[in-house]
Amino acid sequence: MQQTLQQLPLTLAYIGADLVAIGILVGALYIPRHGRRDLVAAYIGVNVGVLAVTLLLSSSSHVGAGLGLGLFGVLSIIRLRSSSLAQGEVAYFFAALALGLLGGIQSHLLVVSILMVLILAALWVGDHPGLMRYNRNQTVTLDRAIPNENDVVLELERLLGAQVRSVDLKNLDLVNDITIVDVHYKLRSQSRASMPPAQQDVLLPSQQHEALLPQQQSPPQQQSESAY
């Protein structure tokens, strides 16, 4: 008991470091960039839960460190099988787990703090909005069956108004005349698809002249009728 009280300030320091780290991860990184309310609660709950269990296991002399790592794996499997997550959200989930595990191991406080900063810095860079900002990835269903991959690329570039980097043919249905592809593409800064609708409907000068031509011919017709 006395030994536990002596280690209490150091334990509180580890808890404080973890809470600061998860606060930065969720409040400064995840919410401004993604902002899913349900995942915010999941990240905080998982982090604090792993921290509490790891602190208890590390303070017990009858439990090995392998049980803590097993807990890490079990929580990962349960969470990832519960619902579908985007790859970026999976990265935040593992970061929350790792921060809780680091805070509960109670190694050297300086080393733990450096590793926490490293995790936050990696996510700040890897999930930065300016990194590959024009690259996109989505699954597209075409309304006709196209067996030739080059023709698929040309059709996707016409529809998306972008430069197609790679395509993965998921389904070619010749009966229902449908093609499903997973496409990676890069947006063009001056593509017609990215222009606002107001700019897409602007008429060319020749079209404006043709549109005004009937209006210019109407006054002579009215004068000829009045003469009769």
Side-chain angles (χ1 to χ4, degrees), residues 3 65 70:
Q3 184 179 2

Side-chain angles (χ1 to χ4, degrees), residues 90-120:
V90 172
Y92 280 95
F93 179 76
F94 276 108
L97 280 174
L99 291 176
L101 194 60
L102 285 174
I105 289 179
Q106 292 189 0
S107 179
H108 296 288
L109 183 59
L110 180 60
V111 175
V112 170
S113 301
I114 293 175
L115 292 176
M116 287 183 176
V117 172
L118 180 62
I119 293 175
L120 295 176

Side-chain angles (χ1 to χ4, degrees), residues 121 128 147 161 187 202:
H128 196 277
L187 296 176
V202 175

Side-chain angles (χ1 to χ4, degrees), residues 66-84:
L67 184 58
L69 297 177
L71 175 65
F72 182 89
V74 170
L75 288 174
S76 303
I77 294 174
I78 293 175
R79 183 65 189 93
L80 294 178
R81 288 179 61 89
S82 60
S83 63
S84 60

